[in-house]
Amino acid sequence: MNYDFFHYVDLIGTLAFAISGALAAINRNLDIFGVFVISFITACGGGVIRDICIGSFPPAGLINLEYLIIVILSVFLCGFFQKLLLRLNHPTLFFDAIGLGFFASFGAHKTYFFTGNSELAILLGIVTAVGGGILRDTLTTTIPSVLTKEIYASAAIVGAVIQLLGENNIINPALAPWLAILICSSIRLLSLKFKWNLPSIKQVQ
Amino acid sequence: MNYDFFHYVDLIGTLAFAISGALAAINRNLDIFGVFVISFITACGGGVIRDICIGSFPPAGLINLEYLIIVILSVFLCGFFQKLLLRLNHPTLFFDAIGLGFFASFGAHKTYFFTGNSELAILLGIVTAVGGGILRDTLTTTIPSVLTKEIYASAAIVGAVIQLLGENNIINPALAPWLAILICSSIRLLSLKFKWNLPSIKQVQ
Amino acid sequence: MNYDFFHYVDLIGTLAFAISGALAAINRNLDIFGVFVISFITACGGGVIRDICIGSFPPAGLINLEYLIIVILSVFLCGFFQKLLLRLNHPTLFFDAIGLGFFASFGAHKTYFFTGNSELAILLGIVTAVGGGILRDTLTTTIPSVLTKEIYASAAIVGAVIQLLGENNIINPALAPWLAILICSSIRLLSLKFKWNLPSIKQVQ
């Protein structure tokens, strides 16, 4: 449960979201700085909102050079290995799903560590996980993923809750982040693959 | 003018916006967690922005269990009594109008109480009132209500100003919130019903 | 490098963005309060996000009466001199370009002054410059300027970097803001006029 471990969880989530943002921006034919801006906002947006809400100023995403380097790296990766990445079905959504698990875990952990408030930890775990993707989709004028019928917010909630159970020693705290990441990202990926849907509240005609 | 009274004003506004958010999300066929997320953002979004701007961390909307319970309740209400709610014309806009009055009053009150700054109180009264609805409409890819020609921002400004007159004892402080809520919500509802419009600045052809 | 000079830089940027916001809102046929709200958000939105990120509460844009007066003035100007303003090609984008330069310089300066962090100064210089325009375009359901292929984010980055070179005495600090404003706004205006584009990363078909 040391700082270093969660720092890597954060960086991997950042990388996954940076790639998903860069791919979405390339898909919209933006110039290279536009791709960089969308990639950065996707990668750091959810975390910045979380840090603002827990009163941690300035938000880590804006002062840590590592994030910036990861985003620049992602833009280059997407430029050079685009053909490879596009072999995946829905590559933007694939990397988004990976980031979802890592950020749900890290967001819940950091918030609980700072505030000790369980409700806030779950809510800001969700915000960290879905915030960047919502910003990416809104800025590239796509309908936000959270709005498609596919399981999305639900996966983030599950990830944040598992992490929180670990913070409270209800499940093994060394295992909790791995479980949270594995289950959250898997639920999202499987729901994409098999087009799982939660029941929606039937709208009266 | 005790804390308790305004606390109820806040909770009723939250309930009204939570219902309007849940109805809008059901209308988009989201899964039940998606409905919960949109309902929560609509109900708490404006207040969270207000609390961030006055430097009150963490924002009340994210740590108070009451809001969470109200949102869950609203989602169930909307699921079970949908037929009843949909008998109203534009049910989303009806509950939005009720929330508008309560939040304009509460937002102006809380900001003035925290900062003693009149301009900030009016601006953040408006933000509290219209913020959640703008987020709801942006996330469900509807054109924000504030953009329709119908009177919307104007009603929120009137509500916030009346509340502020009460805070400064220019009108009876015990009466001010009632007046603010009644006038703001009525202006909005009547403008919906009778399609009132303020003059727009004629665009040169 | 006194406070007063940068204060004027900020006010001119605010005026330019307020006009661009008012023109965009008039173009959408909003009522006069709607025009005021969009104008205010365009003028103060970027700065409010910047102030929140550097932990300066309440954000200057919400408590300084000067901004409010500038916005009200802009709405009147746009109402009365619309014919004159519309003689310009893309008047919204013209005033947006002017504001871009002033805000890139001021945003980088204020952030560096508050935090002494170079990365943050550049990032929040960009945020100050492009934030208001993104909010204006999102709220008026236009595709954000930052997303068009034309050089936009790139101009803001150049402006923020030049200002930062001045803050660190690498170039003459009295000259830096003038250079930043001139170069940033000129790049943007020339790219509009001559339809300059940066290379985009070719999308694999």
Side-chain angles (χ1 to χ4, degrees):
Chain A
M1 289 287 89
N2 51 1
Y3 169 74
D4 280 339
F5 170 69
F6 276 105
H7 187 55
Y8 291 122
V9 171
D10 187 28
L11 292 184
I12 296 170
T14 303
L15 179 68
F17 271 118
I19 292 176
S20 97
L23 288 172
I26 289 172
N27 194 34
R28 300 276 311 192
N29 276 320
L30 303 202
D31 74 37
I32 48 172
F33 281 108
V35 172
F36 168 78
V37 168
I38 300 294
S39 176
F40 189 86
I41 291 177
T42 309
C44 297
V48 167
I49 300 174
R50 175 200 62 225
D51 286 356
I52 289 173
C53 287
I54 60 175
S56 159
F57 295 104
L62 301 179
I63 50 166
N64 195 325
L65 219 56
E66 290 170 304
Y67 299 104
L68 202 58
I69 292 166
I70 286 177
V71 170
I72 292 170
L73 209 81
S74 303
V75 173
F76 276 98
L77 269 173
C78 291
F80 288 115
F81 298 104
Q82 218 197 130
K83 233 175 192 159
L84 205 72
L85 294 172
L86 290 180
R87 284 219 194 120
L88 296 161
N89 274 327
H90 305 297
T92 297
L93 291 177
F94 174 80
F95 287 101
D96 183 276
I98 304 299
L100 200 71
F102 281 89
F103 270 6
S105 166
F106 179 75
H109 164 73
K110 180 165 181 182
T111 306
Y112 193 76
F113 186 81
F114 260 72
T115 66
N117 182 308
S118 299
E119 187 197 341
L120 193 64
I122 292 177
L123 286 175
L124 291 182
I126 301 170
V127 166
T128 311
V130 308
I134 289 180
L135 289 171
R136 176 197 65 217
D137 294 345
T138 304
L139 289 175
T140 57
T141 55
T142 313
I143 297 176
S145 310
V146 76
L147 275 189
T148 61
K149 284 178 76 185
E150 295 136 12
I151 290 163
Y152 189 81
S154 337
I157 294 172
V158 171
V161 168
I162 294 173
Q163 177 61 42
L164 196 72
L165 294 176
E167 302 287 339
N168 288 293
N169 286 300
I170 296 169
I171 60 176
N172 185 332
L175 250 154
W178 294 110
L179 264 179
I181 294 165
L182 188 73
I183 294 181
C184 171
S185 291
S186 301
I187 291 178
R188 176 69 187 130
L189 285 172
L190 291 170
S191 79
L192 268 178
K193 186 163 177 57
F194 297 109
K195 303 198 183 302
W196 283 349
N197 283 316
L198 276 184
S200 60
I201 299 173
K202 275 254 169 56
Q203 203 195 350
V204 178
Q205 299 304 329
Chain B
M1 288 286 89
N2 52 0
Y3 170 75
D4 280 339
F5 170 68
F6 276 105
H7 187 55
Y8 291 122
V9 171
D10 187 26
L11 293 184
I12 296 171
T14 304
L15 178 68
F17 271 118
I19 292 176
S20 98
L23 288 172
I26 289 171
N27 194 34
R28 300 277 309 192
N29 275 321
L30 304 201
D31 74 37
I32 47 171
F33 281 108
V35 172
F36 169 77
V37 168
I38 300 293
S39 176
F40 189 86
I41 290 177
T42 309
C44 297
V48 166
I49 300 174
R50 176 200 62 224
D51 286 356
I52 289 173
C53 287
I54 59 176
S56 159
F57 295 104
L62 302 178
I63 49 166
N64 195 326
L65 220 56
E66 289 170 304
Y67 298 104
L68 202 58
I69 292 166
I70 286 177
V71 171
I72 293 171
L73 208 78
S74 303
V75 173
F76 276 99
L77 268 173
C78 291
F80 288 116
F81 298 104
Q82 218 196 130
K83 232 174 194 163
L84 205 71
L85 294 172
L86 290 180
R87 283 218 195 121
L88 296 161
N89 274 329
H90 305 299
T92 297
L93 290 177
F94 174 79
F95 286 100
D96 184 276
I98 304 298
L100 201 71
F102 281 89
F103 271 6
S105 166
F106 180 75
H109 165 73
K110 180 166 182 182
T111 306
Y112 194 75
F113 186 80
F114 260 72
T115 65
N117 183 307
S118 299
E119 187 197 342
L120 193 65
I122 292 177
L123 286 175
L124 291 182
I126 301 170
V127 166
T128 311
V130 308
I134 288 180
L135 290 171
R136 176 197 65 219
D137 293 344
T138 304
L139 290 175
T140 56
T141 55
T142 312
I143 298 177
S145 310
V146 75
L147 276 189
T148 61
K149 284 178 76 186
E150 295 137 11
I151 289 162
Y152 189 81
S154 338
I157 294 173
V158 171
V161 168
I162 293 174
Q163 176 62 42
L164 197 72
L165 293 176
E167 302 286 340
N168 288 293
N169 285 301
I170 296 170
I171 59 176
N172 185 332
L175 249 153
W178 295 110
L179 263 179
I181 295 165
L182 189 73
I183 294 180
C184 172
S185 291
S186 302
I187 291 179
R188 177 69 186 130
L189 285 172
L190 291 171
S191 79
L192 269 177
K193 185 160 177 58
F194 298 108
K195 303 197 183 302
W196 283 349
N197 283 317
L198 276 183
S200 60
I201 299 173
K202 274 255 169 58
Q203 202 194 351
V204 177
Q205 298 303 331
Chain C
M1 288 287 91
N2 52 1
Y3 169 74
D4 279 338
F5 170 68
F6 276 105
H7 187 54
Y8 291 122
V9 171
D10 187 25
L11 293 184
I12 295 171
T14 304
L15 179 68
F17 271 119
I19 292 176
S20 97
L23 288 173
I26 289 172
N27 195 33
R28 299 276 312 191
N29 275 320
L30 304 202
D31 74 36
I32 47 172
F33 281 108
V35 171
F36 168 77
V37 168
I38 299 294
S39 177
F40 189 86
I41 291 176
T42 309
C44 298
V48 166
I49 300 174
R50 177 200 60 226
D51 286 357
I52 289 173
C53 287
I54 60 176
S56 159
F57 295 104
L62 301 179
I63 50 166
N64 195 325
L65 220 56
E66 289 169 305
Y67 299 104
L68 202 58
I69 292 166
I70 286 177
V71 170
I72 292 171
L73 209 79
S74 303
V75 173
F76 275 99
L77 270 174
C78 291
F80 287 116
F81 299 104
Q82 219 197 128
K83 232 174 192 162
L84 205 71
L85 294 171
L86 291 180
R87 283 219 196 120
L88 297 160
N89 274 328
H90 305 298
T92 298
L93 291 177
F94 174 79
F95 286 101
D96 184 276
I98 304 298
L100 201 70
F102 281 89
F103 271 6
S105 166
F106 180 74
H109 164 73
K110 180 166 182 182
T111 306
Y112 194 74
F113 185 81
F114 260 72
T115 66
N117 183 307
S118 299
E119 187 198 342
L120 192 64
I122 293 177
L123 286 175
L124 291 182
I126 301 169
V127 165
T128 311
V130 309
I134 289 180
L135 290 172
R136 176 198 63 218
D137 294 345
T138 304
L139 290 176
T140 57
T141 55
T142 312
I143 297 176
S145 311
V146 77
L147 276 188
T148 62
K149 284 178 76 185
E150 295 137 11
I151 289 162
Y152 188 82
S154 339
I157 294 173
V158 171
V161 168
I162 294 174
Q163 177 61 41
L164 197 72
L165 294 177
E167 302 286 340
N168 289 292
N169 286 300
I170 296 170
I171 60 176
N172 186 331
L175 250 153
W178 294 110
L179 264 179
I181 294 165
L182 189 73
I183 295 179
C184 171
S185 292
S186 302
I187 291 178
R188 177 69 186 130
L189 285 172
L190 291 169
S191 79
L192 269 177
K193 183 161 178 61
F194 298 109
K195 303 198 182 302
W196 284 349
N197 284 315
L198 277 183
S200 60
I201 300 173
K202 275 256 169 56
Q203 202 194 350
V204 176
Q205 298 304 328

